[in-house]
Amino acid sequence: MKIYTKTGDKGETSLYDGKRVKKDEIRVESYGTVDELNSCIGFARNFIEDAEVVRILFRIQRELFDVAGELATTDRNLFPEKIDEIHVQFLEATIDQYLEKIDKMDAFIIPGSNTAAASLHVARTVCRRAERRILKLSREEDVSEWLIKYVNRLSDTLYAMARYLETELHYVVFDKQEI
């Protein structure tokens, strides 16, 4: 089987439900950015030695396929695996778990103290962009409130885990007076 179909050569793609749309429509931008986020998380996993963090990230990657699938159809009822309250609760519990393990910070940090944390910070910023795309889509079309909450909590989850992976000796605190 060839991976190219030539059906997108004129700037259109098919959604999950078969509907043809322009490749630069906000719906495609939304699930495309979720796909980018999934790849960023997969990249980050390669630098993380903590088995529990890797396990959680792998679960999140699997759930992001459901996020993208739900976004890739105009009729959400046609997509079987939906993000719901239990997914959001898992992220909230994960955030709480990892924030309990770190010292409280009352200043900005400069990402990049180590490769593992820096790669999660990149994923976090891509997650925020995905959230902005999804919010724009939600102003035009119906998007699940649980999906929106999930993506919002996910950026916080990635932040908490990145902070956890940063070491006391290596993170840099941003102090305006040092500039």
Side-chain angles (χ1 to χ4, degrees):
M1 178 177 150
K2 296 180 180 182
I3 69 163
Y4 59 89
T5 62
K6 301 182 183 181
T7 59
D9 290 350
K10 296 188 183 206
E12 290 188 344
T13 191
S14 292
L15 297 178
Y16 179 81
D17 56 12
K19 181 180 176 184
R20 298 288 293 174
V21 297
K22 298 290 183 189
K23 288 183 178 182
D24 61 352
E25 285 188 15
I26 190 60
R27 178 176 298 283
V28 179
E29 279 287 325
S30 296
Y31 71 75
T33 307
V34 170
D35 183 36
E36 181 183 353
L37 169 60
N38 203 336
S39 295
C40 285
I41 293 172
F43 180 76
R45 278 191 307 110
N46 287 280
F47 302 107
I48 299 170
E49 296 177 6
D50 185 303
E52 180 67 10
V53 172
V54 169
R55 185 189 65 75
I56 291 168
L57 291 174
F58 191 78
R59 174 181 171 163
I60 289 168
Q61 284 188 276
R62 175 58 193 96
E63 291 171 353
L64 285 174
F65 280 114
D66 297 337
V67 171
E70 197 171 333
L71 291 169
T73 184
T74 54
D75 183 354
R76 287 187 14 250
N77 294 324
L78 295 177
F79 192 78
E81 301 295 326
K82 294 174 185 58
I83 296 299
D84 59 24
E85 183 177 11
I86 196 160
H87 298 96
V88 174
Q89 289 172 344
F90 171 76
L91 292 180
E92 290 173 348
T94 302
I95 293 164
D96 294 343
Q97 173 187 347
Y98 283 94
L99 287 182
E100 286 177 8
K101 296 179 181 189
I102 61 175
D103 292 336
K104 183 179 177 196
M105 287 284 296
D106 57 0
F108 290 101
I109 60 160
I110 297 176
S113 64
N114 62 58
T115 308
S119 61
L120 280 183
H121 280 298
V122 170
R124 173 186 55 80
T125 62
V126 173
C127 187
R128 286 289 187 206
R129 181 163 28 92
E131 181 182 19
R132 292 189 301 270
R133 300 292 191 269
I134 293 165
L135 289 171
K136 184 174 183 178
L137 174 64
S138 75
R139 286 193 301 273
E140 299 173 13
E141 299 188 44
D142 183 41
V143 176
S144 160
E145 71 176 292
W146 290 114
L147 187 147
I148 292 170
K149 288 178 184 181
Y150 179 87
V151 176
N152 181 266
R153 295 304 185 286
L154 179 54
S155 62
D156 293 336
T157 304
L158 295 170
Y159 173 80
M161 291 182 5
R163 284 294 326 281
Y164 167 75
L165 294 173
E166 292 168 339
T167 63
E168 291 273 324
L169 299 174
H170 295 102
Y171 68 75
V172 178
V173 177
F174 177 69
D175 183 350
K176 292 179 184 177
Q177 297 181 1
E178 291 178 9
I179 298 178

